[in-house]
């Protein structure tokens, strides 16, 4: 069994490390921060992700996973290393490769002393060309070794979703291997065949820039698909008796379209779609091509926030001194991640209008408090959040919100107006009892 190391213990790094360890591999998770290593070694994760903490604890207890400081030990005691460090956005949307460069340099130095052919796998999301034009020369320069002759190299983008990370890692739809050369690809394929023994997903082998681009294209397509259905939702809203959910359900039956990522609502957030779509736009422009469709997908997404505030204004008139309840703060359910969350954008717009905002989320309040501080009120339950409010916007479809009944709104709100931003309630029964507005409901 190959020994695996993961360089970077962020979301993707930890999920990768934990899943390999769970499958019986010896895994070293390399971090540069003492506190992080100590937390991982105690089985503690610094964010909310279902099951991750449980599987991590098991992996640490069984001795299959250990966090180590720096790159040296991780490289020397493993055969294959996955680079999973972050690639944050620059102000112009392009990605910042500083951490990738730094990591490649540190890994190159560690490879200098390493016996045997180590395989370096770049998993971080990077623009086409990064594996071969950035990582490879830095590794070669710092190790004094040659790719192919002395070490191996692949690009291998990640497609897991937050909130579903373990499941997605154990059962991905497909695996993309961008091989620098055949030997590198063969070795990575062998690792994955062994990892997924009994249920190997389709493995696509290609060159590194294609693999790197596939990652961006995948996220861009999904983001565009959502912006498409949100555009249709806005048309539906103008036609009495038409519901985008019925439209999406019908077209989703066409296997060429598929029913997934056709949920209309407040749009996409998170650390991936916004960053990756912006990065692909910037990358494409740097090549001299204006990717109009992606820019439109972005604009449609931003406009959903504006659209929601307009709906509130239509309902309440002047917003000054009104009290509005926000149910759900995280960018999607089952996470405490609030990066690019629709909630923050909507709240900021409401605050500008002089609204008093009270919000509730099962996991994300501490993160929101760090950004908005005491500018808004934080409730300790969904029902308490509704009390004495003039309007409620359902922003994130947490399961516990799905259990709310019309009476919870009518009995607690000053004016029971509900904007269902994720379409989780039955329009008929809710419309009978309260002023119900569903995105995409005409
Ligand atoms: C996304 C991709 O789905 C993953 O394949 C990818 O690996 C990941 O980005 C990444 O690049 O790391 P994630 O951002 O975790 O995963 O979450 P998604 O489930 O894709 O949802 C993204 C956003 O789209 C959320 O705000 C969600 O509310 C929204 N969404 C999703 C919709 O508005 N409608 C839908 O039908 C589906």
């Amino acid at each position: 069994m190959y020994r695996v190391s993961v360089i970077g213990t962020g979301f993707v790094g930890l999920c990768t490390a934990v899943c390999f360890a769970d499958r019986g591999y010896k895994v070293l998770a390399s971090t540069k921060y003492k506190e992080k290593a100590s937390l991982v070694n105690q089985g503690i994760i610094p964010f909310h992700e279902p099951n991750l903490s449980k599987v991590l604890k098991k992996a640490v207890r069984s001795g299959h996973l250990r966090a180590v400081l720096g790159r040296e030990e991780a490289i020397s005691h493993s055969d294959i290393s996955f680079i999973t460090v972050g690639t944050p956005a620059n102000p112009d949307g392009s990605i910042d490769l500083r951490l990738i460069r730094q990591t490649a340099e540190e890994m190159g130095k560690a490879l200098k002393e390493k016996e045997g052919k180590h395989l370096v796998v770049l998993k971080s999301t990077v623009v086409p060309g990064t594996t071969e034009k950035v990582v490879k020369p830095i590794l070669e320069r710092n190790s004094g070794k040659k790719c192919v002759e002395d070490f191996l190299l692949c690009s291998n983008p990640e497609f897991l979703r937050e909130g579903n990370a373990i499941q997605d890692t154990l059962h991905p739809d497909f695996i993309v291997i961008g091989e620098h050369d055949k030997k590198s690809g063969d070795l990575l394929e062998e690792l994955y065949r062994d990892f997924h023994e009994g249920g190997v997903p389709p493995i696509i082998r290609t060159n590194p820039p294609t693999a790197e681009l596939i990652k961006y294209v995948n996220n861009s397509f999904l983001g565009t698909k959502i912006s498409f259905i949100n555009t249709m939702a806005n048309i539906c809203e103008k036609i009495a008796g038409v519901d985008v959910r019925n439209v999406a359900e019908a077209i989703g039956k066409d296997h060429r379209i598929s029913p997934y990522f056709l949920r209309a609502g407040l749009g996409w957030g998170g650390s991936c779609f916004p960053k990756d779509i912006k990065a692909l736009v910037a990358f494409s422009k740097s090549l001299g091509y204006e990717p109009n469709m992606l820019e439109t997908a972005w604009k449609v997404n931003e406009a959903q926030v504006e659209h929601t505030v307009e709906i509130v204004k239509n309902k309440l008139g002047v917003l000054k001194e009104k009290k509005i309840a926000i149910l759900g703060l995280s960018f999607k359910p089952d996470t405490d991640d609030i990066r690019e969350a629709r909630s923050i954008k909507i709240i900021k717009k409401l605050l500008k209008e002089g609204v008093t905002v009270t919000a509730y989320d099962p996991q994300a309040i501490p993160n929101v408090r760090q950004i908005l501080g005491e500018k808004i009120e934080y409730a300790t339950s969904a029902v308490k959040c509704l009390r004495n409010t003039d309007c409620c916007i359902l922003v994130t479809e947490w399961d516990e919100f799905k259990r709310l009944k019309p009476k919870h709104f009518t009995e607690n709100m000053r004016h029971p107006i509900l904007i269902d931003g994720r379409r989780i309630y039955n329009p008929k029964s809710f419309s009978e009892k309260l002023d119900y507005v569903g995105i995409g409901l005409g």
Side-chain angles (χ1 to χ4, degrees):
M1 227 178 198
Y2 291 109
R3 297 164 305 164
V4 171
S5 60
V6 171
I7 314 299
T9 53
F11 192 81
V12 171
L14 266 184
C15 291
T16 308
V18 157
C19 288
F20 270 102
D22 196 53
R23 286 275 156 101
Y25 294 82
K26 283 274 177 209
V27 182
L28 292 176
S30 155
T31 170
K32 290 170 78 174
Y33 307 99
K34 231 179 169 171
E35 318 80 71
K36 255 192 159 178
S38 144
L39 283 179
V40 173
N41 286 330
Q42 293 170 64
I44 299 169
I45 50 166
F47 47 80
H48 175 78
E49 174 64 33
N51 291 327
L52 185 57
S53 174
K54 198 175 83 195
V55 191
L56 172 62
K57 282 197 172 79
K58 191 176 140 211
V60 170
R61 233 183 286 125
S62 67
H64 282 97
L65 173 63
R66 190 161 56 85
V68 292
L69 260 189
R71 315 307 187 199
E72 192 91 36
E73 188 182 350
I75 302 282
S76 59
H77 289 90
S78 68
D79 309 298
I80 300 173
S81 298
F82 289 93
I83 302 178
T84 60
V85 297
T87 48
N90 288 315
D92 68 351
S94 64
I95 60 163
D96 180 347
L97 288 177
R98 249 178 306 177
L99 277 176
I100 294 281
R101 287 202 181 88
Q102 205 180 67
T103 305
E105 196 181 313
E106 293 156 2
M107 290 177 77
K109 286 179 183 150
L111 279 175
K112 202 174 196 165
E113 312 302 330
K114 174 90 203 274
E115 302 260 323
K117 260 192 192 180
H118 200 86
L119 170 62
V120 177
V121 183
L122 183 53
K123 212 175 227 324
S124 311
T125 300
V126 291
V127 288
T130 307
T131 303
E132 290 185 321
K133 292 192 192 139
V134 178
V135 172
K136 179 181 154 182
I138 298 178
L139 287 173
E140 290 188 327
R141 216 172 31 246
N142 287 278
S143 64
K145 294 184 171 179
K146 285 264 152 291
C147 190
V148 184
E149 284 95 321
D150 305 314
F151 67 89
L152 302 170
L153 181 63
C154 280
S155 146
N156 171 225
E158 180 53 62
F159 299 94
L160 63 80
R161 288 163 295 172
E162 287 186 29
N164 222 40
I166 299 275
Q167 190 64 11
D168 283 354
T169 308
L170 296 178
H171 307 285
D173 282 353
F174 61 120
I175 291 169
V176 177
I177 296 178
E179 62 202 47
H180 169 274
D181 58 277
K182 187 169 177 310
K183 266 203 175 136
S184 301
D186 284 348
L187 179 53
L188 190 55
E189 177 166 350
E190 192 191 329
L191 176 75
Y192 276 126
R193 285 199 175 279
D194 182 57
F195 178 89
H196 292 289
E197 202 200 357
V200 184
I203 296 181
I204 290 113
R205 285 180 62 168
T206 182
N207 58 28
T210 307
E212 291 161 332
L213 184 63
I214 288 170
K215 168 70 193 181
Y216 282 107
V217 173
N218 199 271
N219 274 354
S220 299
F221 183 82
L222 294 172
T224 306
K225 192 173 178 187
I226 298 167
S227 283
F228 173 84
I229 201 66
N230 282 339
T231 302
M232 298 308 123
N234 295 341
I235 296 174
C236 291
E237 281 172 22
K238 300 200 177 293
I239 316 169
V242 175
D243 184 345
V244 72
R245 285 205 311 188
N246 299 333
V247 175
E249 196 188 340
I251 62 165
K253 298 264 190 277
D254 184 329
H255 73 275
R256 296 169 302 177
I257 295 174
S258 103
Y260 306 106
F261 281 69
L262 274 183
R263 290 194 321 271
L266 302 183
W268 31 267
S271 66
C272 306
F273 287 179
K275 177 169 88 82
D276 292 355
I277 292 175
K278 267 209 166 158
L280 187 53
V281 168
F283 181 69
S284 173
K285 282 185 176 172
S286 76
L287 301 175
Y289 177 69
E290 276 297 322
N292 292 327
M293 181 187 274
L294 294 182
E295 293 188 283
T296 302
W298 177 275
K299 278 187 206 149
V300 168
N301 196 51
E302 291 309 291
Q304 284 306 88
V305 169
E306 200 57 60
H307 178 58
T308 310
V309 176
E310 280 310 308
I311 296 175
V312 181
K313 277 188 187 161
N314 285 340
K315 286 285 169 196
L316 295 178
V318 181
L319 296 188
K320 204 167 172 353
E321 285 167 14
K322 296 284 184 336
K323 190 169 180 187
I324 295 182
I326 300 288
L327 288 183
L329 295 165
S330 56
F331 86 94
K332 64 183 263 188
D334 291 325
T335 176
D336 58 355
D337 195 341
I338 54 159
R339 283 174 286 179
E340 289 289 327
R342 304 293 89 188
S343 62
I344 306 290
K345 292 185 183 251
I346 292 171
I347 289 171
K348 281 187 174 166
K349 283 193 189 290
L350 293 176
L351 289 176
K352 263 199 185 144
E353 301 277 346
V355 166
T356 301
V357 174
T358 169
Y360 171 71
D361 186 283
Q363 292 291 339
I365 289 177
N367 285 342
V368 172
R369 212 187 273 277
Q370 279 185 22
I371 294 183
L372 295 177
E374 303 311 313
K375 286 187 188 140
I376 66 169
E377 292 167 14
Y378 302 94
T380 51
S381 74
V383 168
K384 283 184 187 156
C385 183
L386 297 174
R387 279 189 196 149
N388 299 321
T389 54
D390 300 292
C391 176
C392 167
I393 310 175
L394 183 293
V395 181
T396 318
E397 66 276 32
W398 284 92
D399 275 346
E400 66 172 87
F401 300 154
K402 292 180 184 165
R403 292 192 283 272
L404 292 175
K405 302 269 178 299
K407 69 167 191 210
H408 292 118
F409 295 88
T410 50
E411 286 172 6
N412 287 288
M413 295 175 74
R414 192 154 47 203
H415 298 110
I417 301 170
L418 168 62
I419 297 164
D420 184 355
R422 297 292 176 184
R423 297 303 309 276
I424 62 173
Y425 298 116
N426 181 315
K428 195 168 173 290
S429 56
F430 271 69
S431 298
E432 279 165 9
K433 301 274 170 28
L434 54 120
D435 194 347
Y436 174 86
V437 183
I439 297 293
L441 181 67

